[in-house]
Amino acid sequence: PLPATELHTSERVVVLVSCVLSFLGSSLLVCTHALWPELRTRPRQLLLYLSLADLLSALSYFYGVLQDFDKTSWDCVLQGALSTFSNTSSFFWTMAVALYLYIIIVRGSPTGTGLLCCFHIVSWGVPLGITVAAVAMKKIGYDASNVSVGWCWVNLDAEDRVLWMLLTGKVWEILAYVTLPVLYILIKKHINRAVSILLLSLSEYRPILSRAPAFQPRTSIADKKLILIPVIFIILRIWSTVRFILTLCNSPAVQNSVLVVLHGIGNTFQGGANCIMFVLCTRAVRTRLFSSIWCCCCNELDLASQRSDGFWQHPEPHKDVPAPERIKSVLSST
């Protein structure tokens, strides 16, 4: 077996910053869902559950990178169990969002609470069952940072470690590599076909024809998002798969510093990437967020201005008031 991968301070700092940004991004997604009920559509509700999984994942990874475990201990097992559960759940919820959009847009099938219940059972239940089984069979532990970046995952001393690495993450990750591009390509083709039919029907009416270009910016933005969602997911996650394969091949390249940093960022920044895509790059949410920040800043400035005016505009003391009473009046007004 390969020796343990040594983490340098700079590498740990970069991955810790990525964990913090992912935590903040996931928290912002949760806050926007809680603050604005009118934005609580079913896709964004699924995004909420994905953000909760990414939030727990960022916290567990942060603790693991901060500790940089060198042996199996109780907190190593706990951290490994939490990261295994949240990371696997994140894969399932990411695929659930894509599957829901495919059912609604392409199939046009009505959805109710039954589909959401199935998503909950699969996306929370399957990762929980796998994690409990892995902990009960003592498969979670120290992995020498060859398939992680400081945190604990599947114990490399286990004889069937490859099987448990697949069950606790890799098989679902590889499944997402295939499923997400296929679903989003089908959705994109369906949207383009529908827009083409709509523009063709509008072309029959001269007065309405001038409105047709208004659809172009919206469709182009939707196309970019549908392309970027699976692309960003694969770009972030592919490095952990590369290091997993290199570990199975006993290749010393698994300890390459660039690969280690990319692996650390890719596994921990999913919440930050989702925040960029679904908050900062979504006009309705971005407008509300910036307007709320602007209102808060204006309110703070108004409050500070009122306090400043109240400080400098003291009441004039009456001449018939004794000196001690005048001092007391000025102090109280200040």
Side-chain angles (χ1 to χ4, degrees), residues 261-276:
V261 171
L262 290 174
H263 180 187
I265 295 175
N267 269 45
T268 58
F269 194 65
Q270 190 65 49
N274 289 336
C275 178
I276 293 173

Side-chain angles (χ1 to χ4, degrees), residues 172-181 233-234 237-238 240-241:
W172 315 115
E173 189 175 60
I174 296 171
L175 181 63
Y177 291 156
V178 178
T179 305
L180 293 179
F233 179 85
I234 293 174
R237 294 290 183 172
I238 194 66
S240 63
T241 305

